[in-house]
Each structure stands twice: as C-alpha cells, then as structure tokens.
Amino acid sequence: MKRVFRTFVALPLVVLVLIAIPALLVSVASANDNVTSAVEQPGPPPPRPPHHGTVPPPTPRPIPPAPVPPRPLPPPPAPTATPASTPIPQESLLIGGQIIIKVIGDRLSATIYAFTEDGRLYRSDLDGRAWYLVNSAPEVDDFVMSAADPNVLYSGAGINCSNPTATIAPMYKSWDGGETWEEVATGVNMRPLLASQFDSQTLFAADCSTVYLTQDGGATWTPRPTAAADNLWNTYVPEALTSGSLVGSPRPAQPHWDQLYGIGNSTQDEGVVAFTGDQGETWANITNAAQPPKGEKAIEASLYDGGQIWIVDSKGVWTTSDYGVNWKYWTNGLKQLTRAYAAPLNDVTYTYNGRLYLATDVGLYMMKTPGAAWEKVEDTGFDQETLLSFLITESNPRKLWINGEDGVYSIGVDLED
C-alpha cells in the first residue's frame, strides 16, 4: 500500500521536471539569440573630427547645350483694362484720370491710339471703349497707322520747309504697336503722309520738294513722279494725301489705293489739288484755275461717292463731286469767323448720311445737307476751343472724336436724318 502511494506522488513530479527543464532551456537559447542579433547590427558611424585642410572643389557638372532660341511670336493679346468712363461732352476725355491730348487712328479700323497729358501712349481695339497702356514714355508724339496692320506705325515731323537751316529730322517706325521704335535710316527729313489700308509696308511720305513711295516698309523709296520735269511738287510743298473710293462701291466702301488726292502750298501760299490713278507715277492738276485755294490745310475723300472730295483752306471749304471738273466753295456761315481770324479753319470730316463737320479755332461747325450754311454747334463745352482734327471709324460711326489744342473731345453723331 505504501509503495502504491509513493508511486502516485512521484509520477507527477517526474512529469513536471520533464516539461519545465526543456522549456527553460528554450527560453535561455532564445535570449542568447537576441543578444547575438543585437551585437551584429552595425550602428551609426562615429562622428568625424572637423576638417581643417583645403576644401576640395565641387565636382564639375556637365554644361548643357545652349538652348535654341524660340521663334519670335506675335505679342499676346493685350489685357482688357477697365473701360474709361465716358464723360459728358463738356469735358476733355480721360484715361486713368489723365486728359487725352490726341487720338490717332484710321477710318477703316477699330483700333485707336491715344496720348495722355502725362506723356503715355494707350491703345484701344474697341473704338475707345477700353484702353490699355502701350508705352509710358514713347519716343514720338505723332504717327500714321495702317488699317491693314494697326501694329505698324510710322512717325516723323519732317523739317520746317520755310527754314533752310533746319536740323535733320529722323523718321521712326514701330512694328509692335508703339512699344518700341526704330529709326528709318532712309527716311531722314521725310514726313509720313498716308499708309495703305491694304498693305502696312506701303507708305507715302514727303519732304519739301517731292512725294516718295515705299513698298517695303521704308527700306527703299521712289520719288513720285520719277521724272523730275513732271513733278508739280517741286512748286508746291506736299501738305496731305488721302485715298478715295471706286464709283458705285457698296457701303461701307473700300478705298481704292490707285485713286489718291493730294494738296500742297507754294511759297506764296497758293494751293494745288492733285489726283493720281497710278500710285503717284503721274499727277493731274485738278485745281480750280479760276480761283485757286489759299493756305490749304486738310483734304478728305469720300468712301461712298467716287470723285467726291473736300478741301479746307484759310477761308472756307472747297468741294467737288466729279474729280475736280467742277468746284464749289462753301463759305456761308463762316465769313464773320474768317474776318476775325487769319486762318481759323483746320479740318473737315463727313458721315455717310451726308453731314459735314468743320474744326475751327473757335469750336465746331456743322453742315447738315450739302450746300447749306455752316452752323455753329452750340452748348458743347468747347464752343471757344481750338479744334485741330477729327477721327471717325466705320465700326463706330456714331461717335466723332475731336482733337483740340487743350485735349480730346467727342460728340454723338445723329445718323437718322
């Protein structure tokens, strides 16, 4: 009995020892494995002492090939500025609070340039409804523009033909709408007169003795006419040129570059009116021989009626509707004005419904129907201002721009009557 009891007690102890000792050995082995693994992992390198020798030069990088210059692209569209508010006619027009002192454009283009009193040049491609700055200090203060490409501009005052000791007067050209200007070496002492509405590289200019034509943007010039013996411009200093239209062309008519009219004045202030149908190779004198104009200032040709032109001289407005075969002299309504002032008439323009406007030294005059008396346009706020020239565009024919001696004005044009 005692033997059985001892066996029953000893057997569990043996089992316990057989289980516990291997487990303990496995645990110790695992711990040893962990310690070995931790020792074999490389740690961060010890910090190096500061280097006190010569700093080695950096490794040279390969030099990339020079980039190919990009092809010149046209200037991006100009940002649309906040439109200048349209003031009442009694005030000069403004851009950014600055008075506009001159507007320049072409009847067949919606692009208008404007100089402000602080010397800046602005541009509008929306007939003046919105403006953006082109140049804050342009080298020029006047130019002619081609409707074919409003970015191409020509500028040059020419020399004073009454002063033989006048200094050299350069001509300038801009390809980028007035942002930059370059001198036209071949155009010294010439004044741009008329740029073609079909080709921006075709331009008439003049000096004191003749008219010149370029068809390559000023690189070369040809006197017009080429034969000096036939050159009436040797007697009359060229004053202005304008282009007319073909008979029966639709409205808005397209001007005909081979139908040009020019005016000039002699040293005795006697005027001449000339016509050319071959780009100036020959000129026909269409002046009224019985009573030549005196002191011509401006000429305008109709886009709607072939052979219809108007000429401003010191006392009135000459007009012909048949290429100079017959002339009329409209002075009714102007006699009191021309008696008080030596040469108070400056420019003339027209609307397609037949109304004429006349810029004078004492405000604006209008003729409602051909042959009627000139009437003073009252209550404008510039009734007594000196008005110099006009601009009206076919894309906005209801607005007449007026360049004055002290600023630019505008009025609405009634086209219903």
Side-chain angles (χ1 to χ4, degrees):
M1 186 69 179
K2 292 181 180 179
R3 183 179 299 172
V4 174
F5 177 77
R6 284 194 301 267
T7 303
F8 180 80
V9 173
L11 182 61
L13 294 176
V14 171
V15 173
L16 180 61
V17 169
L18 293 175
I19 294 174
I21 291 175
L24 181 60
L25 293 175
V26 171
S27 176
V28 171
S30 176
N32 290 337
D33 289 342
N34 290 339
V35 171
T36 303
S37 175
V39 172
E40 291 177 351
Q41 289 293 331
R48 296 181 178 181
H51 182 74
H52 297 289
T54 303
V55 177
T59 303
R61 297 181 179 180
I63 301 175
V68 178
R71 296 180 61 188
L73 298 175
T80 301
T82 303
S85 59
T86 303
I88 58 177
Q90 285 75 9
E91 300 177 1
S92 298
L93 299 182
L94 306 174
I95 298 177
Q98 295 291 319
I99 294 175
I100 306 176
I101 59 173
K102 184 184 296 182
V103 291
I104 299 172
D106 187 285
R107 192 170 186 123
L108 295 180
S109 175
T111 296
I112 298 175
Y113 289 91
F115 287 94
T116 54
E117 61 182 340
D118 58 353
R120 299 185 177 214
L121 176 63
Y122 290 84
R123 170 173 170 163
S124 171
D125 293 314
L126 299 171
D127 285 304
R129 297 183 180 92
W131 298 94
Y132 65 88
L133 180 65
V134 173
N135 194 325
S136 58
E139 299 177 70
V140 305
D141 59 6
D142 195 15
F143 51 81
V144 299
M145 184 193 90
S146 169
D149 185 354
N151 289 317
V152 180
L153 313 173
Y154 299 91
S155 178
I159 60 174
N160 184 355
C161 297
S162 62
N163 181 9
T165 62
T167 58
I168 294 176
M171 180 187 288
Y172 297 95
K173 180 179 181 179
S174 175
W175 295 84
D176 54 13
E179 291 184 29
T180 60
W181 295 87
E182 62 181 27
E183 188 170 341
V184 180
T186 59
V188 175
N189 292 346
M190 290 197 291
R191 177 170 58 93
L193 295 180
L194 182 65
S196 170
Q197 294 94 337
F198 310 107
D199 178 11
S200 62
Q201 303 308 302
T202 299
L203 173 80
F204 277 98
D207 59 13
C208 297
S209 60
T210 195
V211 172
Y212 296 87
L213 174 66
T214 180
Q215 295 177 304
D216 52 19
T220 59
W221 298 86
T222 304
R224 286 293 200 240
T226 54
D230 300 328
N231 193 354
L232 59 80
W233 303 115
N234 287 329
T235 304
Y236 302 92
V237 176
E239 181 68 31
L241 289 179
T242 188
S243 58
S245 67
L246 289 173
V247 176
S249 56
R251 192 189 69 80
Q254 294 299 312
H256 183 33
W257 188 243
D258 288 333
Q259 196 174 100
L260 306 174
Y261 303 89
I263 58 173
N265 295 298
S266 69
T267 54
Q268 290 77 34
D269 216 23
E270 183 174 299
V272 68
V273 186
F275 169 81
T276 179
D278 53 14
Q279 297 191 38
E281 182 58 35
T282 60
W283 293 89
N285 189 337
I286 61 173
T287 312
N288 182 8
Q291 188 182 355
K294 296 287 186 180
E296 292 175 313
K297 289 188 177 180
I299 182 171
E300 185 74 279
S302 174
L303 293 181
Y304 314 128
D305 301 305
Q308 175 72 63
I309 62 175
W310 301 272
I311 295 166
V312 177
D313 76 357
S314 59
K315 299 295 183 181
V317 176
W318 289 93
T319 182
T320 180
S321 58
D322 52 15
Y323 298 91
V325 175
N326 296 285
W327 288 94
K328 296 177 182 179
Y329 195 33
W330 289 338
T331 61
N332 193 9
L334 302 175
K335 293 180 180 179
Q336 184 177 356
L337 172 62
T338 56
R339 289 192 191 104
Y341 299 88
L345 312 180
N346 299 313
D347 195 17
V348 66
T349 194
Y350 64 96
T351 61
Y352 66 72
N353 63 341
R355 183 169 295 185
L356 294 177
Y357 289 92
L358 183 63
T360 79
D361 283 355
V362 286
L364 183 65
Y365 282 73
M366 177 180 64
M367 182 180 287
K368 291 184 178 180
T369 58
W374 291 101
E375 302 176 15
K376 180 73 175 291
V377 180
E378 304 285 356
D379 301 324
T380 61
F382 48 85
D383 292 351
Q384 301 302 313
E385 296 294 328
T386 298
L387 307 180
L388 303 174
S389 62
F390 295 115
L391 174 62
I392 191 169
T393 65
E394 291 298 306
S395 51
N396 188 18
R398 293 183 178 275
K399 184 172 185 177
L400 177 64
W401 300 83
I402 310 168
N403 284 316
E405 195 172 66
D406 296 322
V408 174
Y409 311 94
S410 70
I411 64 168
V413 176
D414 186 1
L415 301 177
E416 303 304 326
D417 55 354

